[in-house]
Amino acid sequence: MANIEKRYRHDKLGIITVVWKSNMRSVRMGFKNESFTISAPQGYPMESIIRLINENEQRMLSFIKRHESRREKVSIDANFTLDTHFAIMRIALTKTTIPRLKKVGAIPSDSSTPVEKDNLVLEMPYDTDFETEETIRIVKESAIAMLRYEAKKRLPSIVKEIADANGFKYSTVKINSAQTRWGSCSSKGSLNFSLFVMLMPLHLIRSVIVHELCHTKHMNHGESFWALFDKVYGVSHKIVDKEINNLKLPAFLKSA
């Protein structure tokens, strides 16, 4: 039997989607895309659902409030800059009709940045509306393209340097777009790194690499693993973990 769906408007909670499903045995409530959905067994009375909503109104309002307080405001304008250890990307308003990301050269190293940075420009039309989701999407995709380029360009050499200096053996270095983990290591010694590690300062990038290289000798997080990490990296993993856990992706780069 097909699912039945109905939208119920609540004065304070907004639109609530109610779905009756043949495979449901109890009533469940979920929250996605800024609104509540209630799933119920087919034949479950609408009056009972409305009563459930009213009884839980304050709890649901509190949930929405907490959700909104955690949500970061996405703000991008013509002065947007993404500045990382290895590269910088800026927006330039030009007479172009199609947005395009260009590498325009390099920024020489100095005392504050001891490495030459790639200098990239995202050309956007003069009449760009920075309030639209389309513009945010373009900037996001360009930023990710920059981070991926830098990860593929920079990480393999850093991995090799650390591995050679400490006697680690690995097979390959691959780049992915994971947002829930910075890196991983397979049982065959294949190292995988999220392109988002390129948002880190260099010392934390190196800590992620050391972490995954240590997994080539210890596939778990036991005492031997952490002892090896602390020895190779030279700083306690507890200090490093605390610093990494405080890192946050820029709001516009997060998955919906």
Side-chain angles (χ1 to χ4, degrees), residues 117-135:
K117 282 190 178 187
D118 287 330
N119 189 15
L120 294 94
V121 170
L122 174 57
E123 294 184 344
M124 303 282 284
Y126 283 117
D127 60 353
T128 296
D129 181 354
F130 286 93
E131 299 296 322
T132 66
E133 292 185 2
E134 175 65 10
T135 297

Side-chain angles (χ1 to χ4, degrees), residues 22-37:
S22 59
N23 62 344
M24 296 295 294
R25 295 294 179 266
S26 60
V27 178
R28 295 183 183 178
M29 185 181 299
F31 187 80
K32 187 176 182 181
N33 297 329
E34 313 300 322
S35 64
F36 285 99
T37 297

